[in-house]
Amino acid sequence: MKVLVAPDKFKGSLTAAEVASAVAAGLADAHPGLVVRELPVADGGDGTVAAAVAAGFRRVEVPARGPTGVPVTASYAVRGDTAVVELAEASGLHRLPGPPQPLTATSAGTGDVIAAAVRAGCRRIVLGVGGSAGTDGGAGMLAALGARLLDDTGRELPFGGAALARLASLDLSGLSEVDIELASDVDNPLYGPCGAAAVYGPQKGATAADVETLDAALRHWASIAGPEFASRPGAGAAGGVGFAAMAVLGARLRPGIELLLELLGFDAALAGASLVITGEGSLDEQTLSGKAPAGVARAAAARGIPCIAVSGRCRLTSGQLAEAGISAAYALTDLEPDPARCMAEAAPLLRRLARRVALDYFSLSR
């Protein structure tokens, strides 16, 4: 029998590859005869480059600007002429050297990484847009790719979303041409009550006054860069990077997990499998909105293969799990009620949990 283990990360505890390894070890403990294929996955957020590398892409490290402009080393993954770029690598919250900077944080580093991939010969960029530190409408990314954002005196704007309120003209004559596919599960518009600033700004340190400032700046930015794109689903992804990518770079938006599964060769990995095991740190209502486990379960169901999920904790009812195509869910909290211990001892607990999965699913005697 063959089992495909295709989990996302357990955020704060284990990478997707570490989750897959622990699950595979637990399955082998209970049933040494199982054929287990490990395929860590991601949905476009942090961990996307790591998942691509685990699937056979090559990791490339490049210098880039972090969200405050401080230099960082970021990675992208490459295979052939396709590069997988993860916005969080250079422009993520975890790259902040200090407190959040909601008004001035920039996506320039993401543009730096894309530019490096293009210089290396990549012609197709898959851009995962999750975990951003800023709300600059993607302006920093465009500037790094050769665009010039000018105020009414002809000077280039400083970084950050707040500065967009002073934008007078957008010069795209030096912009690099690049074929981009956006991997995102966010359907927010650029601005308004459901927009990038209002919904995600507070998570990035924005006060109520900051949100108003940023939302007004994004409205002005859209009026110059492409008003018809501002209301499109996904325009608000990653603080508006989705908007800039679609309005200026001609990017195509696709559900993150759908695009990543295709890129990682998920269909081929399914061949011959009798069970799929997926998972993430917390199975909750967000899981149902296009997160990796739901996407994996949907793809498995299309091939008539049952899917089981593992997690740190599960907050979904059996009905919600069934609706997502997940036939059963196992959580670390089933073994250890203390969340802190679940985080600290995630790998050995997950190995024990996977053993239980194997015993239950394959009806082996205890």
Side-chain angles (χ1 to χ4, degrees):
M1 293 182 178
K2 175 182 173 181
V3 178
L4 176 61
V5 181
D8 199 350
K9 64 190 173 297
F10 279 26
K11 193 168 186 177
S13 295
L14 301 171
T15 66
E18 289 169 337
V19 173
S21 178
V23 170
L27 295 175
D29 290 342
H31 195 336
L34 279 177
V35 176
V36 180
R37 167 75 187 275
E38 299 173 39
L39 186 70
V41 301
D43 55 19
D46 52 318
T48 294
V49 165
V53 170
F57 282 65
R58 177 171 56 89
R59 184 184 295 273
V60 179
E61 294 186 341
V62 296
R65 285 165 286 187
T68 63
V70 174
V72 299
T73 298
S75 298
Y76 69 90
V78 62
R79 184 170 64 192
D81 65 354
T82 296
V84 177
V85 176
E86 177 185 321
L87 178 140
E89 272 285 317
S91 308
L93 280 164
H94 70 286
R95 287 295 196 180
L96 287 166
Q101 304 291 329
L103 300 180
T104 58
T106 179
S107 60
T110 297
D112 294 335
V113 178
I114 293 172
V118 171
R119 287 194 300 271
C122 296
R123 294 294 171 261
R124 177 194 181 201
I125 307 294
V126 174
L127 176 59
V129 286
S132 70
T135 310
D136 73 344
M141 175 184 69
L142 295 181
L145 292 172
R148 300 181 71 219
L149 290 82
L150 308 173
D151 64 17
D152 57 8
T153 68
R155 295 178 179 174
E156 295 197 22
L157 294 181
F159 287 143
L164 293 173
R166 307 200 305 274
L167 180 67
S169 63
L170 177 61
D171 178 2
L172 302 178
S173 60
L175 191 69
S176 301
E177 290 188 13
V178 59
D179 179 18
I180 292 182
E181 292 178 79
L182 284 172
S184 174
D185 60 2
V186 169
D187 59 5
N188 303 78
L190 178 62
Y191 56 76
C194 296
V199 176
Y200 301 107
Q203 300 173 13
K204 305 171 187 182
T207 64
D210 293 337
V211 168
E212 288 188 13
T213 296
L214 291 167
D215 194 67
L218 291 175
R219 287 175 184 269
H220 180 63
W221 167 229
S223 72
I224 293 175
E228 68 275 21
F229 289 90
S231 61
R232 290 196 178 183
V241 166
F243 165 78
M246 291 188 288
V248 180
L249 301 177
R252 301 173 301 285
L253 178 69
R254 292 181 59 189
I257 185 59
E258 176 186 294
L259 178 52
L260 266 296
L261 289 183
E262 177 185 297
L263 200 67
L264 300 177
F266 184 78
D267 277 350
L270 272 178
S274 58
L275 177 68
V276 173
I277 300 177
T278 187
E280 63 180 345
S282 178
L283 290 173
D284 51 37
E285 291 198 353
Q286 289 190 35
T287 303
L288 307 178
S289 303
K291 291 294 187 180
V296 168
R298 186 167 55 249
R303 298 279 290 273
I305 303 171
C307 182
I308 286 172
V310 294
S311 65
R313 63 186 180 188
C314 180
R315 294 180 171 176
L316 296 177
T317 66
S318 57
Q320 288 173 312
L321 290 167
E323 183 180 343
I326 297 172
S327 57
Y330 294 73
L332 298 187
T333 51
D334 297 339
L335 301 177
E336 172 51 66
D338 182 358
R341 289 194 64 185
C342 285
M343 293 281 286
E345 303 173 22
L349 286 171
L350 189 55
R351 182 168 181 166
R352 285 174 54 196
L353 198 68
R355 182 175 183 274
R356 179 181 291 185
V357 170
L359 292 171
D360 287 350
Y361 186 81
F362 295 104
S363 299
L364 300 178
S365 64
R366 287 174 170 78

